[in-house]
């Protein structure tokens, strides 16, 4: 048989990265003696066509093909792997630029809603794009109707999550209005996650449910029955647990793992059960499931396996979404995709990602084979996307990206590596980390949801060669780093208890992590490690000091009699200093305990807080005491997201997720009186606003309508008018100072101005655009001539509304890194406060020149996004409410140098709304737990009257528990 080298077609003209790569492959073959492709095929175990195509310069071969080609020609595989990554990144960057140019050229006429979801799982809202699994969805529905426990097994990438999300959940919500569907992923604390998910529908608190589930797993069944009874006689709850394997990978507590499994089985198999449970599990974790007798028994006749798609199913999954979007798939592309994907059980995320990238490279309304090849094919598109993301970063941020993706991977113990969900708080809050995370989310490599982040799909772990190399490099070091992360988190949760620090062998092993420049430790982890090293050094120093002191004492015995007086004075002073330090530490711990105890025993919490403040009168103990003294009551059975206060400070209006607006008399905030409930809402009320004279109240929410109410008599409010026009949920309302204009905004990215001079016959005045995402807040300046708007596109805009014509834009700027959620004018109108997410959640701006706002200062201290801010009537104070469950008060007399005044804790959920009363005497706040709290801003009288709410007197046992070592002196005898 002839082995004469076959002739190759000459490369196309040009000097692009792809042509240079192909030329170098050919040169490598020439240097190896130019063996025939038939010989190379036998060496590399790839077809002749595949190997010759790798050097043809038409498209980038896969990494595996490149390395096989290099190996067959005697090349350095490490060198060629680096070369392939560099070329893939360069090509991906070029294609991204071409795509951006195409989108700019196409303009607004071209749809930007992709019919494919890429690496992400299909959600219920994506059901219009979900095809190919209709038969399997029907089987799941049938099996679930016949039995109360069902397990869906499948390999990673087989489409389990999509089957449940866009298949099962979408069908249940569409076909059964007496079915409450609750979804969750277990995470490190599955019982806690279950409690959080069930708290709202059960009309309880997560803390209470978690305590009940931990005490008795059977309480999950009782809680589900309570929820089902609210749905009607035949109502049921379907509990869907996705990524069930997290019970074995990220949940480290054997007791909580067993309790969670027992709770699920009990809820589904109780004789009077009103619950159906569906779990989605990776097939390689079946042996782990079999280790639990109850779960193994439940799985015997309750399994459905998600296998690879058939050719017909693949055809529908590829073609039907494109058709829904008004596009078609080229026949040659469909043939190529079906041939490559058929029979491959874990290929679906890669296929979806490749289709998404091909759709972005479509020509007109046709998805082409050329576009698919340009995207890198099924195997190469994901690597191209990841490499383009990585190559676009500078070296410093590349190191951050490396450590970020390593954190998001759970190392397998006899199983494949899996994704690991973490909180945003595990990462540093610096600008570079935020920028890397923002870019990774933008290209859909990472999903960020409610402060939690994870890789979009485990296919990224398998399909990105660079990440695989990172994970393979030093797995023991990665495991040690993960243990350090968990230990640092536990140390923080214990208020940095020295007893939780590393010591001995663990400290010595952890010390190795910090050696070298690129250790990947966060600030919290470095602080934890340094604290352990410092404690070790202090213990060594203490031992040496004790030995030295002993020698000194022996020497000083001869002159002890002459120094008795001086020694006594020194001892007294030392004792006083030790006592002071002890009292400070005990008071700080007691203050924390008082805040935690507030919701269980308010009277005891007040006494502990008062005793701590008297023991060590610091700002921390004062804030804790004040937090226990705030009058509070449950105002809504759901989130409280907006409130307004009347002109005399006694009438309060509140709105929440229970679809009600309530009016209260808070003349005595310790004895609030509900005056009335506004009817006819029928939807989640997102915002309310009260006219300055207190006679007109505006309400709006998810039904896209704005309503005007006459609340002159708050006991008998009447509906005056309903305003239509918004095409999305209305998220914000604001009256101008003269009450003649109402501004509304929301999910349709517009602001609408209404003429409300005659509130019974309001008219539309103007519609403003310009924001690129939901507009979360609107506010008028005190003179009513300027309107400020804030949106989730991170920008704030100022508008001139003084003329009779259409308002004009004055300025627009990026105010926050994640989203702009609130705006508020100072009473003088020359300072604007904005709130949102990012490293500085509250910022103050000089807007004396409306066209050129200038940042004055940033208020730091909150650890999560800030959803609302409010100026006091005199403009000297600012209140901020955050998702970190605190309200902070600031002195902004000089807005260039704001000073923290107080931090109020005791909130169990995010703070949803807050306002100063018209006289600046109190701050009224509401949280997502529906609780209303009233805080007098003059703390001294409040502290002086603390004992009025502190009975019965604290017992000696309680005193010793919270103030150990301090003489028993009840603060309120």
């Amino acid at each position: 048989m002839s082995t004469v080298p076959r002739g190759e077609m000459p490369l196309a003209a040009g000097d692009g990265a792809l042509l240079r790569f192909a030329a170098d492959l050919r040169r490598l073959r020439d240097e190896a003696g130019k063996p025939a492709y038939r010989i190379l095929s036998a060496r590399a175990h790839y077809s002749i066509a595949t190997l010759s195509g790798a050097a043809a310069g038409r498209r980038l071969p896969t990494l595996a093909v490149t390395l096989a080609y290099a190996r067959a020609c005697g090349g350095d595989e490490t060198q060629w792997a680096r070369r392939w990554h560099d070329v893939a990144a360069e090509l991906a960057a070029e294609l991204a630029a071409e795509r951006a140019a195409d989108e700019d050229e196409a303009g607004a006429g071209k749809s930007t809603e992709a019919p494919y979801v890429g690496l992400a799982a299909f959600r219920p809202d994506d059901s219009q794009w979900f095809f190919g699994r209709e038969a399997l969805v029907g089987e799941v529905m049938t099996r679930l109707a016949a039995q109360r426990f069902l397990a869906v097994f499948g390999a990673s990438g087989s489409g389990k999550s999509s089957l449940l999300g866009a298949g099962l959940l979408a069908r249940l919500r569409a076909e059964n209005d007496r079915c409450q569907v609750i979804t969750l992923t277990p995470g490190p604390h599955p019982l806690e996650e279950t409690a959080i998910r069930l708290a709202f529908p059960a009309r309880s608190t997560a803390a209470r449910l978690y305590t009940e589930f931990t005490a008795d797993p059977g309480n999950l069944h009782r809680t589900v029955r309570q929820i089902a009874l609210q749905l009607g006689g035949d109502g049921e709850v379907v509990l869907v647990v996705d990524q069930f394997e997290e019970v074995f990978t990220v949940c480290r507590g054997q007791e909580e793992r067993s309790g969670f499994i027992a709770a699920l089985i009990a809820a589904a198999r109780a004789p009077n059960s009103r619950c159906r449970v569906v779990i989605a599990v990776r097939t390689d974790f079946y042996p782990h499931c079999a280790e639990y007798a109850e779960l193994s028994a439940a799985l015997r006749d309750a399994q459905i396996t998600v296998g690879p798609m058939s050719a017909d199913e693949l055809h529908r999954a590829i073609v039907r979404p494109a058709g829904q979007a008004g596009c078609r798939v080229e026949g040659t592309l469909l043939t190529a995709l079906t041939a490559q994907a058929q029979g491959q059980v874990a290929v679906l995320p890669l296929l979806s990602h490749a289709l998404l990238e091909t759709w972005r490279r479509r020509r007109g309304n046709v998805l082409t084979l050329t576009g698919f090849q340009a995207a890198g094919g099924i195997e190469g598109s994901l690597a191209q996307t990841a490499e383009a993301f990585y190559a676009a970063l500078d070296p410093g941020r590349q190191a951050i990206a490396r450590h970020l993706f390593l954190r998001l991977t759970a190392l397998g113990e006899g199983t494949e590596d899996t994704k690991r969900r973490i909180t945003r708080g595990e990462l540093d809050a610096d600008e570079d980390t935020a920028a890397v995370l923002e870019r990774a989310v933008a290209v859909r490599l990472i999903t960020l949801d409610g402060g939690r982040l994870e890789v979009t799909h485990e296919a990224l772990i398998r399909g990105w060669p660079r990440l695989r190399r990172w994970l393979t490099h030093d797995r023991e070091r990665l495991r040690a780093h993960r243990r350090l992360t968990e230990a640092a988190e536990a140390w923080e949760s214990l208020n940095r208890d020295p007893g939780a620090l590393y010591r001995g062998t663990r400290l010595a092993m952890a010390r190795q992590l910090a050696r070298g420049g690129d250790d990947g430790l966060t600030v919290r982890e470095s602080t934890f490690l340094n604290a352990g090293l410092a404690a070790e050094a202090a213990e060594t120093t203490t031992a040496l000091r004790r030995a030295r002191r002993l020698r000194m004492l022996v020497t000083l015995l001869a002159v002890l009699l002459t120094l008795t007086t001086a020694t006594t004075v020194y001892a007294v002073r030392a004792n006083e200093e030790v006592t002071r330090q002890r009292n400070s530490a005990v008071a700080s711990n007691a203050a924390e305990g008082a805040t935690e105890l507030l919701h269980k025993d308010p009277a005891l919490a007040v006494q502990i807080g008062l005793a701590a403040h008297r023991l060590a009168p610091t700002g921390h103990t004062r804030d804790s005491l004040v937090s226990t003294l705030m009058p509070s009551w449950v105002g809504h059975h759901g989130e409280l997201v907006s409130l307004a206060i009347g002109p005399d400070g006694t009438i309060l209006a509140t709105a929440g997720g229970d679809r009600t607006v309530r009016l209260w008399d808070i003349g005595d905030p310790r004895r609030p009186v509900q005056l009335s409930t506004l009817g006819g809402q029928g939807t989640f009320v997102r915002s309310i606003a009260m006219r300055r004279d207190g006679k007109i109240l505006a309400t709006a929410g998810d039904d896209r309508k704005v309503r005007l109410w006459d609340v002159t008599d708050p006991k008998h409010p009447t509906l005056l008018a309903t305003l239509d026009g918004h095409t999305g949920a209305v998220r914000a309302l604001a009256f101008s100072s003269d009450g003649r204009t109402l501004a509304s905004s929301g999910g349709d990215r517009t602001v609408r101005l209404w003429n409300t001079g005659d509130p019974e016959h309001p008219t539309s005045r103007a519609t403003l655009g310009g924001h690129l995402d939901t507009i979360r807040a609107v506010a008028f300046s005190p003179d009513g001539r300027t309107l400020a708007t804030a949106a989730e596109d991170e920008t704030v805009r100022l508008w001139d509304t003084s003329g009779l014509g259409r308002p004009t834009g004055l300025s627009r700027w990026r105010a926050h890194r994640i989203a702009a959620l609130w705006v508020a004018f100072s009473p003088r109108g020359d300072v604007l406060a904005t709130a949102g997410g990012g490293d500085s959640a509250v910022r103050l701006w000089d807007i004396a020149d409306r066209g050129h706002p200038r940042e004055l200062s940033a208020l730091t201290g909150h650890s999560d996004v800030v959803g609302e801010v409010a100026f006091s009537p005199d403009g000297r104070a600012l209140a901020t409410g955050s998702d970190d469950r605190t309200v902070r008060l600031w002195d902004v007399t000089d807005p260039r140098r704001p000073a923290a005044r107080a931090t109020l804790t005791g909130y169990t959920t995010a703070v949803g709304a807050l306002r100063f009363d018209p006289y600046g005497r109190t701050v009224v706040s509401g949280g997502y737990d529906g609780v209303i709290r009233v805080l007098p801003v003059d703390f001294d009288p409040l502290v002086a009257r603390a004992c009025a709410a502190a009975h019965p007197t604290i017992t000696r046992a309680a005193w010793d528990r919270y103030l150990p070592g301090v003489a028993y002196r009840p603060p309120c005898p």
Side-chain angles (χ1 to χ4, degrees):
M1 183 175 293
S2 173
T3 59
V4 176
R6 61 179 292 182
E8 289 185 293
M9 294 291 292
L11 292 172
D15 189 35
L18 187 57
L19 291 175
R20 293 196 302 272
F21 188 76
D24 289 345
L25 283 176
R26 293 187 178 195
R27 189 176 301 109
L28 177 65
R29 179 177 171 232
D30 290 342
E31 293 171 354
K34 206 169 186 177
Y37 274 105
R38 190 180 304 280
I39 295 176
L40 291 183
S41 176
R43 295 176 181 173
H45 304 292
Y46 279 94
S47 69
I48 294 173
T50 298
L51 294 174
S52 62
R58 290 188 295 272
R59 66 186 179 97
L60 184 68
T62 65
L63 177 61
V65 170
T66 299
L67 296 181
Y69 191 109
R71 184 168 56 251
C73 294
D76 185 338
E77 292 185 51
T78 301
Q79 178 183 350
W80 278 96
R82 286 197 301 267
R83 180 70 193 286
W84 183 90
H85 284 300
D86 292 341
V87 174
E90 187 173 347
L91 290 176
E94 292 174 358
L95 291 170
E98 292 176 6
R99 182 164 68 241
D102 289 343
E103 291 176 355
D104 290 342
E105 182 180 349
K110 187 173 182 178
S111 171
T112 58
E113 185 177 7
Y116 306 101
V117 299
L119 292 177
F122 285 87
R123 300 166 300 179
D125 293 341
D126 299 320
S127 59
Q128 61 174 324
W129 313 118
F130 185 65
F131 295 96
R133 291 295 195 186
E134 294 83 355
L136 192 57
V137 172
E139 182 182 355
V140 172
M141 290 287 291
T142 302
R143 293 283 296 275
L144 189 60
Q147 55 195 100
R148 293 192 173 274
F149 186 89
L150 186 64
V152 178
F153 282 94
S156 175
S158 61
K160 303 183 299 299
S161 297
S162 298
L163 176 74
L164 297 180
L168 175 65
L169 269 63
R171 286 274 299 274
L172 287 173
R173 292 175 180 176
E175 298 176 6
N176 192 343
D177 59 355
R178 291 187 179 274
C179 174
Q180 174 88 43
V181 180
I182 299 172
T183 63
L184 63 98
T185 52
H189 302 290
L191 282 176
E192 180 182 61
E193 188 67 24
T194 306
I196 292 172
R197 296 293 182 180
L198 267 61
F200 179 72
R203 297 180 181 178
S204 183
T205 64
R208 177 179 297 174
L209 291 182
Y210 178 62
T211 302
E212 294 175 355
F213 297 166
T214 304
D216 180 4
N219 283 327
L220 175 61
H221 157 65
R222 302 178 184 96
T223 301
V224 169
R225 284 201 67 201
Q226 177 184 346
I227 298 172
L229 289 174
Q230 301 172 19
L231 301 173
D234 57 349
E236 288 196 326
V237 174
V238 177
L239 191 59
V240 178
V241 185
D242 197 8
Q243 301 176 36
F244 186 80
E245 61 271 9
E246 288 188 358
V247 171
F248 309 109
T249 59
V250 298
C251 176
R252 300 302 182 188
Q254 177 63 38
E255 184 176 350
E256 182 162 10
R257 182 186 303 141
S258 300
F260 178 63
I261 293 173
L264 293 180
I265 301 300
R269 295 203 158 188
N272 56 348
S273 173
R274 301 287 290 275
C275 179
R276 298 182 187 274
V277 177
V278 183
I279 64 173
V281 199
R282 271 180 29 187
T283 49
D284 52 333
F285 282 89
Y286 189 92
H288 295 73
C289 297
E291 294 176 2
Y292 295 84
E294 291 177 300
L295 182 57
S296 179
L299 291 174
R300 286 172 189 162
D301 57 351
Q303 302 178 33
I304 288 182
T305 302
V306 181
M309 281 188 169
S310 66
D312 181 60
E313 290 173 329
L314 285 170
H315 184 280
R316 293 200 304 277
I318 295 167
V319 174
R320 292 290 297 280
Q324 288 284 89
C327 297
R328 66 182 181 86
V329 179
E330 192 177 64
T332 54
L333 172 59
L334 178 60
T335 302
L337 289 172
T338 304
Q340 294 183 47
Q342 188 173 1
Q344 302 296 319
V345 69
V347 79
L348 294 184
L350 297 176
L351 174 64
S352 182
H353 181 78
L355 281 168
L356 176 61
E357 294 299 313
T358 304
W359 180 83
R360 288 171 173 166
R361 293 164 174 81
R362 66 196 183 281
R363 289 291 177 254
N365 65 343
V366 181
L367 278 67
T368 66
L369 180 61
T370 301
F372 171 70
Q373 293 172 341
I378 288 181
E379 295 182 355
S381 60
L382 176 57
Q384 279 197 21
T385 299
E387 281 300 314
F389 153 78
Y390 185 77
L393 303 174
D394 60 45
R397 290 183 175 180
Q398 284 181 343
I400 292 174
R402 172 174 175 264
H403 295 302
L404 171 61
F405 281 98
L406 290 176
R407 283 182 184 277
L408 294 172
T409 305
L411 300 179
E413 301 288 350
T415 59
E416 290 185 0
D417 295 339
T418 59
K419 61 182 180 179
R420 172 177 177 259
R421 188 184 303 107
I422 68 175
T423 64
R424 180 64 178 87
E426 185 174 316
L427 305 177
D428 286 338
D430 61 287
E431 181 178 352
D432 286 337
T433 300
V436 171
L437 180 58
E438 181 180 1
R439 176 166 278 176
V441 171
V443 297
R444 298 189 179 183
L445 296 178
I446 291 176
T447 300
L448 179 61
D449 181 15
R452 298 183 177 186
L453 55 146
E454 60 185 345
V455 294
T456 306
H457 199 279
E458 287 166 351
L460 181 66
I461 301 174
R462 301 190 305 269
W464 188 11
R466 186 182 296 274
L467 178 55
R468 292 303 311 158
R469 290 203 310 274
W470 290 340
L471 290 168
T472 305
H473 177 62
D474 190 349
R475 295 178 73 84
E476 284 308 313
R477 186 182 187 281
L478 292 177
R479 289 191 174 95
H481 191 175
R482 193 74 71 246
R483 290 192 292 269
L484 176 67
T485 301
E486 294 170 354
E489 182 177 354
W491 180 60
E492 288 283 0
S493 68
L494 295 173
N495 296 319
R496 301 193 172 189
D497 183 358
L501 291 171
Y502 271 178
R503 285 180 170 81
T505 303
R506 290 193 302 171
L507 181 61
M509 295 177 62
R511 193 197 311 262
Q512 302 298 322
L513 294 174
R515 292 184 177 176
D518 184 20
D519 54 38
L521 301 183
T522 63
V523 172
R524 179 168 63 182
E525 293 161 359
S526 297
T527 303
F528 170 74
L529 181 55
N530 291 335
L533 295 172
E536 180 185 59
E539 290 171 358
T540 301
T541 302
T542 300
L544 293 173
R545 185 183 297 116
R546 286 174 179 170
R548 188 163 54 249
R549 284 178 177 174
L550 181 60
R551 291 193 299 269
M552 292 175 62
L553 286 174
V554 172
T555 304
L556 292 175
L557 282 175
V559 294
L560 182 60
L561 292 177
T562 60
L563 297 177
T564 300
T565 303
T567 304
T568 301
V569 172
Y570 172 79
V572 170
R573 290 179 178 177
N575 184 64
E576 291 176 349
E577 177 62 18
V578 169
T579 301
R580 187 191 65 79
Q581 294 181 2
R582 183 210 62 182
N583 289 349
S584 179
V586 171
S588 179
N589 291 335
E592 297 290 343
T595 303
E596 296 173 0
L597 191 63
L598 176 60
H599 305 285
K600 298 179 181 178
D601 192 339
L604 180 58
V606 170
Q607 294 181 76
I608 294 172
L610 186 57
H613 187 52
R614 290 178 177 175
L615 185 63
T618 66
H620 174 61
T621 57
R622 181 209 60 192
D623 291 352
S624 176
L625 172 59
V626 170
S627 298
T628 67
L629 294 172
M630 288 189 288
S632 63
W633 69 95
V634 176
H636 290 268
H637 299 294
E639 304 99 318
L640 194 158
V641 297
S642 186
L643 59 84
I645 304 176
D648 63 355
T650 63
I651 301 300
L652 171 68
T654 60
D658 57 3
R659 304 187 177 189
T660 66
V661 175
R662 302 173 186 266
L663 296 178
W664 309 83
D665 181 345
I666 58 169
D668 181 357
R670 295 195 177 276
R671 296 177 179 82
V673 178
Q674 182 174 329
L675 301 174
S676 59
T677 300
L678 274 60
Q681 301 298 317
T683 187
F684 195 125
V685 183
R686 298 283 181 181
S687 181
I688 60 176
M690 188 176 292
R691 205 168 69 179
R692 177 172 290 186
D693 60 7
K695 296 181 179 180
I696 303 298
L697 182 71
T699 67
D702 286 355
D703 65 355
R704 309 175 184 179
K705 300 180 184 297
V706 178
R707 294 177 172 85
L708 298 180
W709 304 80
D710 183 348
V711 292
T712 305
D713 180 0
K715 293 183 179 180
H716 303 92
T718 58
L719 180 63
L720 297 176
T722 300
L723 307 177
D724 293 306
H726 281 286
T727 60
V730 181
R731 302 300 299 265
L733 296 169
F735 277 107
S736 61
S737 55
D738 61 5
R740 301 184 65 83
T741 303
L742 174 68
S744 59
S745 69
D748 60 5
R749 308 177 185 176
T750 67
V751 178
R752 292 182 176 267
L753 299 182
W754 311 89
N755 187 336
T756 54
D758 180 358
E760 294 187 32
H761 303 91
T763 58
S764 177
R765 174 182 166 188
T767 300
L768 310 179
H771 282 291
L772 303 179
D773 210 332
T774 299
I775 302 174
R776 294 292 297 270
V778 291
F780 281 100
S781 61
D783 61 8
R785 300 171 64 86
T786 306
L787 177 71
T789 60
E792 292 181 5
D793 63 4
E794 306 176 355
T795 66
V796 170
R797 299 191 65 147
L798 296 180
W799 308 81
D800 182 355
T801 59
S802 60
L804 297 178
R806 179 181 177 83
T808 57
L810 297 173
S811 56
R812 176 180 181 271
W813 72 97
R814 185 186 185 191
H816 293 277
R817 186 167 302 281
I818 296 177
L821 303 178
W822 199 259
V823 287
F825 284 93
S826 67
R828 289 176 51 186
D830 58 343
V831 175
L832 185 73
T834 65
D839 51 359
S840 296
V842 181
R843 297 176 185 269
L844 300 180
W845 309 84
D846 181 352
I847 56 169
D849 181 354
R850 299 291 205 248
H852 301 88
R854 180 171 55 87
E855 184 175 352
L856 294 171
S857 58
L859 282 61
T860 59
H862 284 294
S863 60
D864 208 333
V865 297
V866 173
E868 192 157 346
V869 300
F871 279 100
S872 63
D874 61 5
R876 298 171 64 87
L878 184 74
T880 60
S882 171
D883 284 10
D884 66 6
R885 306 181 182 184
T886 66
V887 168
R888 290 176 180 259
L889 297 180
W890 311 82
D891 184 343
V892 292
T893 305
D894 181 355
R896 292 176 179 79
R897 298 176 181 82
R901 181 183 168 195
T903 300
L904 288 311
T905 55
Y907 294 85
T908 62
T909 61
V911 179
L914 57 83
R915 290 286 189 280
F916 278 93
D917 73 10
Y919 304 103
R921 292 192 292 253
T922 60
V923 175
V924 182
S925 61
Y928 280 16
D929 55 2
V931 176
I932 302 168
R933 295 173 173 83
V934 180
L935 170 68
V937 297
D938 186 355
F939 294 160
D940 292 340
L942 186 65
V943 171
R945 297 192 299 270
C947 286
H951 296 287
T953 301
I954 184 173
T955 63
R956 184 179 295 275
W959 178 277
D960 291 341
R961 177 182 177 186
Y962 289 98
L963 295 112
V966 179
Y968 178 60
R969 291 191 300 272
C972 300

